Amino acid sequence: MSAGPTPTTTDEQTIVSAPGKVLLAGGYLVLDRLYTGLVVATSSRFYCSVAPGQAGIVTVRAGQFPADASVWKYVAKVDNGKLDLQAEGDERNKFVQTTLQTTLEYAAQRLEREGRASELSAVLEKGLDIVVFADNDFYSQREQLAGAGLPLKVSSLDKLERFTPLPRPLGKTNKTGLGSSAALVTSLVAALLLHLGLAVLPTGQDTIHALAQAAHCAAQGKVGSGFDVASAVYGTHVYRRFSPSVLEPMFAGTASLLDIVSGKWDQETRPFRLPRGLRLMLADVDAGTDTPSFVGQVLKWRKEKSEEAMRMWTVQDAANKALEEALRGLAHLENEPGYTETLQAAIGQEVANVSWEPMDTTDRQLDDFSPINAQLKHIRGAIEGVRKGMRDMSLASGVPIEPKEQTRLLDECSKLPGVLGGGVPGAGGYDAIWLLAIDDPSSLEGVERVWEGWTEMSVCPLSARQSDGGLQREQPEVLAAALARK
């Protein structure tokens, strides 16, 4: 694995951003290398700034949160290629501390091997000032909207200050499920490596990905699927996880980080994008119930009912692939005459009930007049197939992956003109929903009316939409106003 050309360290400010994510298809299956997941990056991003700081001190602060509980300080030193990182004070953030430890340890090992060990010592002696900010969508804005007397609408979110200050510490602030920990870890790893001259973008993406996966798994204390970190690095794609054995030497302490990062990473990240003219819509759903960790319960069911689980996962995998195929099929028609007009006309057409069968993935008979309409039908059917598989898994495992409350909301939204369908992202539960709609004001307004008037649960839209891009370096002005704010 190559990081590309080795630049020199910089005394300037380095800013890197990473996108959030939505797993449209592949929930639970993405934990197994036999299957893939369809992960879409969001337009909402996490930002990390690294600049020279106080001599001998590495300071990390979460810029949107109260300073008394969101500033972490460390003393870092390097001796013979070995890093010593000591935290000051009682406040801890495991993702920040583990990522600092992992990244600086990798940097010490690599610079030692390259005969440049003194460079890291020089940087740490000068100190580092690290600040992280997240676009508002990563955290629930219900309280901020209520305080401003604004309704739960996208237009209201646009009126909030960018990087809106939040009243409580990070640990007591509700998240929206866009993958804040993965985006934090990935942007911090990338900003540090770029600042230390150990990577450039985009050629250093693979190195950043491997190190961010190592740091994120170390912080979690387990090896996860990694799709959230992969999306933060590469953007929207079809993902097949890396072999967990890649990171076993890290947990066992039998290999250096340098060797692990440069080892055989076998994940797949096939390029993908949503077709032009479609819009991903997201909402934070507050059902008044805390969503537990479902993964352990589902894996327990899979182990105990292996034959049943295999049958269900085979059907679910076919539905997931059918959705990918249907979306790719529509994207291939983007340059056909009348593409935009056909999408617009579809908004006014009555939405027929759709079904999907695993042995006949989508109806191959094209509409009499329009292959574009046929692909829209295929997309609707595949989304319903994905949802049905999740509901079947819910019943079999006893885990509320698509709870009945979510089912009623999604069913109502899926009937709306211009809406192709939706689902619960990732592991599911009560936290969020996604919809795929034709990108037209009438479609979006119809969805917002349903969300705003929904009484069974409180539905707060997010302003994020789909984005293809992954990691990117930013100019200083993107954070200038936020950094100046005290």
Side-chain angles (χ1 to χ4, degrees):
M1 180 181 299
S2 172
T6 302
T8 57
T9 56
T10 176
D11 288 330
E12 303 297 325
Q13 181 185 26
T14 304
I15 302 175
V16 175
S17 70
K21 55 72 187 172
V22 180
L23 187 65
L24 296 191
Y28 299 100
L29 276 70
V30 77
L31 290 163
D32 191 321
R33 273 185 57 78
L34 289 174
Y35 309 102
T36 59
L38 185 58
V39 56
V40 176
T42 69
S43 55
S44 292
R45 303 180 74 85
F46 223 98
Y47 297 80
C48 181
S49 165
V50 178
Q54 179 184 350
I57 301 294
V58 177
T59 301
V60 184
R61 57 191 172 102
Q64 288 149 277
F65 297 90
D68 58 352
S70 302
V71 177
W72 305 280
K73 293 187 176 183
Y74 307 87
V75 176
K77 297 180 181 179
V78 179
D79 185 19
N80 294 324
K82 295 183 178 180
L83 176 76
D84 180 40
L85 184 73
Q86 299 294 329
E88 292 190 341
D90 297 329
E91 292 293 334
R92 295 287 188 275
N93 182 296
K94 65 179 180 180
F95 286 100
V96 167
Q97 185 163 338
T98 303
T99 303
L100 271 182
Q101 176 75 42
T102 304
T103 307
L104 293 178
E105 187 176 327
Y106 166 81
Q109 293 172 7
R110 181 168 158 190
L111 290 169
E112 176 78 12
R113 181 176 292 186
E114 294 179 1
R116 301 163 55 199
S118 61
E119 291 186 17
L120 181 57
S121 295
V123 170
L124 295 177
E125 286 173 5
K126 291 181 180 179
L128 290 172
D129 181 33
I130 302 171
V131 189
V132 293
F133 287 95
D135 280 329
N136 292 340
D137 276 341
F138 281 93
Y139 306 106
S140 176
Q141 300 297 323
R142 297 168 186 276
E143 189 174 349
Q144 285 62 244
L145 291 174
L150 295 170
L152 300 181
K153 301 181 69 173
V154 171
S155 57
S156 299
L157 294 169
D158 293 339
K159 296 175 183 178
L160 295 178
E161 179 183 7
R162 192 174 187 190
F163 311 123
T164 293
L166 296 166
R168 282 176 290 281
L170 177 58
K172 296 181 179 180
T173 298
N174 291 331
K175 301 177 182 179
T176 59
L178 291 186
S180 57
S181 65
L184 162 65
V185 168
T186 303
S187 61
L188 178 53
V189 167
L192 281 169
L193 289 187
L194 266 65
H195 192 78
L196 295 172
L198 295 176
V200 293
L201 291 175
T203 54
Q205 282 184 327
D206 290 348
T207 294
I208 293 168
H209 172 262
L211 191 57
Q213 292 284 15
H216 197 242
C217 290
Q220 290 182 316
K222 62 180 181 180
V223 182
S225 70
F227 79 86
D228 44 6
V229 170
S231 180
V233 174
Y234 301 109
T236 298
H237 64 279
V238 178
Y239 177 76
R240 188 186 305 277
R241 69 159 307 154
F242 58 88
S243 297
S245 59
V246 173
L247 288 176
E248 286 176 359
M250 179 183 73
F251 286 97
T254 58
S256 70
L257 275 170
L258 186 59
D259 290 335
I260 290 169
V261 169
S262 60
K264 182 176 174 52
W265 286 79
D266 54 359
Q267 77 282 346
E268 295 177 22
T269 53
R270 285 189 280 118
F272 180 83
R273 64 176 177 83
L274 292 181
R276 177 171 57 83
L278 299 190
R279 166 75 180 268
L280 180 67
M281 300 184 70
L282 303 169
D284 165 29
V285 177
D286 180 10
T289 302
D290 292 330
T291 302
S293 176
F294 295 160
V295 173
Q297 297 175 63
V298 170
L299 293 182
K300 182 175 181 288
W301 159 75
R302 188 189 183 199
K303 182 177 180 181
E304 294 175 349
K305 305 286 187 179
S306 58
E307 291 186 5
E308 176 186 51
M310 178 59 74
R311 287 195 301 270
M312 286 191 178
W313 281 32
T314 299
V315 173
Q316 185 73 45
D317 182 50
N320 295 343
K321 290 178 177 176
L323 179 56
E324 176 193 346
E325 181 182 345
L327 290 168
R328 287 190 190 278
L330 184 60
H332 287 319
L333 297 173
E334 289 177 348
N335 295 323
E336 290 292 313
Y339 176 83
T340 301
E341 292 77 8
T342 303
L343 292 188
Q344 293 295 315
I347 297 172
Q349 297 171 3
E350 182 178 351
V351 178
N353 290 329
V354 293
S355 60
W356 180 86
E357 295 297 334
M359 299 308 293
D360 182 20
T361 56
T362 50
D363 180 7
R364 297 301 171 189
Q365 295 299 315
L366 298 182
D367 285 7
D368 291 341
F369 303 106
S370 172
I372 298 170
N373 279 327
Q375 287 303 139
L376 293 175
K377 178 182 176 183
H378 297 341
I379 292 169
R380 287 192 179 98
I383 291 175
E384 178 52 39
V386 171
R387 280 189 61 199
K388 183 179 184 303
M390 297 293 265
R391 290 194 299 271
D392 290 345
M393 201 189 308
S394 287
L395 290 172
S397 65
V399 177
I401 299 169
E402 186 185 293
K404 293 180 179 179
E405 296 93 327
Q406 298 284 61
T407 296
R408 288 189 285 269
L409 175 58
L410 288 168
D411 285 349
E412 189 66 25
C413 292
S414 297
K415 297 175 186 176
L416 296 171
V419 175
L420 302 180
V424 289
Y430 295 92
D431 291 338
I433 64 167
W434 63 267
L435 297 177
L436 195 60
I438 295 171
D439 192 3
D440 181 86
S442 64
S443 301
L444 310 185
E445 289 166 6
V447 170
E448 278 209 309
R449 282 194 296 271
V450 169
W451 286 355
E452 191 176 9
W454 199 254
T455 57
E456 187 173 2
M457 299 177 290
S458 174
V459 184
C460 182
L462 305 184
S463 59
R465 59 185 302 162
Q466 71 269 23
S467 171
D468 298 331
L471 277 175
Q472 61 188 39
R473 187 161 187 167
E474 305 283 355
Q475 295 302 310
E477 51 266 27
V478 74
L479 292 182
L483 289 169
R485 187 175 65 205
K486 300 296 183 182

